[in-house]
Amino acid sequence: MLNNVDDFIQMLSLGTDSELELNAMKENKVEFRKQLGRLLSQSRKDAKDEKCFYCGERCSSFCNSHSIPAYFLRNIAVEGEVYNNNKLVNLPLLDNDNGVNQSGTFQLICRECDSKIFSDYENPDNYNYKDVPTAKMISQIAMKNYLKSISKRKFEIALYDNMNESFELPYEFYKHKQTINDLDLKEYIKDFNRAKRIDIKGWDNEYYLIYHQKLDYVVPMAFQSNVALMIDFEGGIINDIYNESPDYRIKSIHICVFPLENSSVIMLFIDSKDNKRYRSFYKQFRKLSAKDKLAAINYIIFNYSEDVFINKEVNDDILKHKGLIDASRKSFEILTMNPNVDTALVGSNVDFSKMNDIPNLLLEEFKIR
Ligand SMILES: [Zn+2]
């Protein structure tokens, strides 16, 4: 999430192995930070609403909501800290450690709402006593994912406006970027409102649980996000990024990896109305062996998202694995300034035949307990 200077720097720079580049970037770090710091804090201010996005009440101090419940992060934290994706991508200007309290947060709803509206899915007991998650738990996860997406888009819209004011961005680039951002924002708000209604009404079957697995060990990573898959296991197109119809929207799948105290829960689900888009994918997924299912999820997470959190004691050789680093970098390519590259392009070259080429952190051999 683009929430601080580091995130912005991350947006402008790809991971690099070049010693020379690394040093050059480090030297300019202070000046760079100063300039961007101003731009970012202004954009943060501009992106802020006056009202809580959930209850609509006027709100003077927003809650620092965790994208992954702090409880799950604490189960993989060492002395309160976890690695985020930057450890893997080796971005030269970032700190690799992230205290549990700062990791992946957004400010969009009031404290009272934050303490209430996610309570079913954030309660660890609900994973111990229930065989499968309830419809309410699932809709709350979806709600949280959409809030995170909304927060990110609102900030980016403000950021591009401010960058345009400060540096005069190329007109076509600026216009194109903001059109996409606006469309995405509208779609996320629609999806959020739907999830909210489903949660309140307690409706069943509005989300389709593709996969739910409880492992009797604690995996060394935590993840919760919605990602747009591009290609299925047989090379079939899931989301068509070249479809230029204004009515065509990219549809995402929700993925959770929740480390509990002595076990882990892994889930994949979609909005039932996106069933057609994902049908081939999940039919193929279900034919995989138990081990390959985990490999596929591990592969998706590292290729499609930058929101993964990892236990700090995972062996360095694993974290430096070339395949894993290359995969993680792919998810950063969206963050370049190239106007032809946008979110939808992530994963367009993700090939599931290579899913067993990277270390699968979900396997028992990597368990932390
Ligand atoms: Zn509220």
Side-chain angles (χ1 to χ4, degrees), residues 121 127 133-146 195 198 206-212 223-227 229 251-258 266-272 274-275 278 281-282 285-286 297:
Y121 107 85
Y127 297 88
T134 61
K136 265 182 107 60
M137 286 161 79
I138 290 178
S139 57
Q140 289 175 7
I141 293 168
M143 209 157 57
K144 171 84 75 71
N145 288 345
Y146 294 131
I198 293 167
E206 297 294 323
Y207 293 100
Y208 181 61
L209 189 62
I210 292 171
Y211 173 77
H212 170 261
F223 183 78
Q224 180 194 331
S225 200
N226 45 341
V227 299
L229 298 187
K251 303 290 184 190
S252 50
I253 186 170
H254 299 266
I255 302 178
C256 308
V257 174
F258 293 157
I266 303 178
M267 285 186 265
L268 295 182
F269 67 90
I270 53 170
D271 190 319
S272 294
D274 301 333
N275 195 297
Y278 277 93
F281 167 80
Y282 69 70
F285 178 83
R286 286 197 175 131
I297 293 168

Side-chain angles (χ1 to χ4, degrees), residues 52-57 109-114:
C52 165
F53 209 83
Y54 188 88
C55 67
E57 295 287 316
I109 55 176
C110 70
R111 278 168 222 282
E112 209 186 332
C113 285
D114 188 76

Side-chain angles (χ1 to χ4, degrees), residues 8 11-12 31-32 34-40 43 158-171 173-174 337:
F8 189 77
M11 190 172 96
L12 298 173
E31 197 39 50
F32 198 36
K34 255 193 232 159
Q35 278 181 22
L36 294 176
R38 282 190 288 269
L39 198 59
L40 289 165
S43 305
L159 179 62
Y160 280 104
D161 280 345
N162 287 329
M163 283 199 300
N164 192 45
E165 239 166 69
S166 308
F167 321 123
E168 252 185 80
L169 299 171
Y171 181 75
F173 165 76
Y174 169 67
M337 294 292 279

Side-chain angles (χ1 to χ4, degrees), residues 85-303:
N85 193 308
N86 302 322
K87 167 70 178 176
L88 297 181
V89 292
N90 190 24
L91 289 169
L93 302 155
L94 302 181
D95 299 326
N96 287 330
D97 300 328
N98 231 334
V100 165
N101 287 325
Q102 284 96 52
S103 292
T105 58
F106 59 88
Q107 293 89 31
L108 214 53
I109 55 176
C110 70
R111 278 168 222 282
E112 209 186 332
C113 285
D114 188 76
S115 68
K116 274 189 213 154
I117 65 175
F118 305 121
S119 57
D120 284 70
Y121 107 85
E122 290 191 342
N123 179 358
D125 291 343
N126 283 342
Y127 297 88
N128 291 328
Y129 304 125
K130 294 188 172 77
D131 287 338
V132 284
T134 61
K136 265 182 107 60
M137 286 161 79
I138 290 178
S139 57
Q140 289 175 7
I141 293 168
M143 209 157 57
K144 171 84 75 71
N145 288 345
Y146 294 131
L147 278 175
K148 193 182 66 172
S149 300
I150 289 166
S151 165
K152 191 173 167 180
R153 277 294 173 271
K154 283 168 81 75
F155 175 73
E156 277 174 10
I157 289 171
L159 179 62
Y160 280 104
D161 280 345
N162 287 329
M163 283 199 300
N164 192 45
E165 239 166 69
S166 308
F167 321 123
E168 252 185 80
L169 299 171
Y171 181 75
E172 282 306 313
F173 165 76
Y174 169 67
K175 190 91 184 147
H176 177 69
K177 199 79 193 168
Q178 293 298 54
T179 305
I180 290 172
N181 278 341
D182 284 336
L183 281 171
D184 279 357
L185 179 61
K186 281 202 186 87
E187 190 73 5
Y188 288 136
I189 291 174
K190 216 169 82 190
D191 288 336
F192 166 74
N193 286 329
R194 178 171 149 76
K196 180 180 173 183
R197 199 160 56 243
I198 293 167
D199 177 51
I200 290 170
K201 302 275 187 189
W203 287 331
D204 284 323
N205 304 321
E206 297 294 323
Y207 293 100
Y208 181 61
L209 189 62
I210 292 171
Y211 173 77
H212 170 261
Q213 182 67 53
K214 195 161 182 182
L215 303 170
D216 62 5
Y217 52 87
V218 183
V219 296
M221 66 193 236
F223 183 78
Q224 180 194 331
S225 200
N226 45 341
V227 299
L229 298 187
M230 294 298 142
I231 294 167
D232 65 25
F233 294 92
E234 290 166 9
I237 288 170
I238 301 173
N239 282 299
D240 181 7
I241 52 170
Y242 299 107
N243 188 324
E244 286 181 353
S245 158
D247 299 328
Y248 186 87
R249 305 305 307 159
I250 301 288
K251 303 290 184 190
S252 50
I253 186 170
H254 299 266
I255 302 178
C256 308
V257 174
F258 293 157
L260 301 171
E261 216 170 298
N262 295 303
S263 59
S264 310
V265 168
I266 303 178
M267 285 186 265
L268 295 182
F269 67 90
I270 53 170
D271 190 319
S272 294
K273 62 181 175 45
D274 301 333
N275 195 297
K276 207 175 142 202
R277 191 76 67 90
Y278 277 93
R279 191 178 296 143
S280 305
F281 167 80
Y282 69 70
K283 282 189 170 166
Q284 295 158 8
F285 178 83
R286 286 197 175 131
K287 285 184 196 148
L288 301 175
S289 68
K291 201 178 154 190
D292 276 350
K293 282 185 180 122
L294 294 178
I297 293 168
N298 179 74
Y299 191 66
I300 292 170
I301 290 172
F302 284 102
N303 275 286

